[in-house]
Amino acid sequence: GTANIASGKEVTVLEAWEVVQKIHGSNGNVEYLPKREGDIHRSLLDSSRAMELLNWESQTSFEDGVRNIYDWQKENLSIL
């Protein structure tokens, strides 16, 4: 079956944007547009199945995880 690998803590789209901005060192602006059907406002994944199947639980914060991904991509993919 499927198991989510996640922190188990809710993050809003704005919070995610702020973390990415902080890590990337950018100072872009947020533009608020009218809501659209299907827009995601926040995200929370349940990782209890990963704990059950893999005896796994998150030990990394959302910000540290984003930073790790950013650093890895910067070092290995030459895209940033």
Side-chain angles (χ1 to χ4, degrees):
T2 302
N4 292 316
I5 304 297
S7 69
K9 297 194 171 44
E10 182 177 279
V11 177
T12 67
V13 172
L14 182 58
E15 289 167 336
W17 167 246
E18 289 169 346
V19 166
V20 170
Q21 233 181 331
K22 177 180 175 182
I23 292 168
H24 187 265
S26 64
N27 59 357
N29 296 318
V30 173
E31 182 179 350
Y32 293 92
L33 300 172
K35 292 180 183 180
R36 298 178 303 172
E37 185 176 332
D39 277 354
I40 297 172
H41 303 283
R42 58 183 185 250
S43 180
L44 171 62
L45 297 177
D46 178 4
S47 57
S48 61
R49 188 152 169 84
M51 178 61 169
E52 177 187 318
L53 295 173
L54 307 170
N55 196 29
W56 177 90
E57 67 180 306
S58 176
Q59 297 178 0
T60 304
S61 70
F62 176 77
E63 183 172 337
D64 287 343
V66 172
R67 184 180 314 281
N68 291 343
I69 292 168
Y70 176 81
D71 290 345
W72 186 90
Q73 288 180 340
K74 190 173 180 181
E75 183 176 322
N76 294 284
L77 301 180
S78 301
I79 61 172
L80 302 172

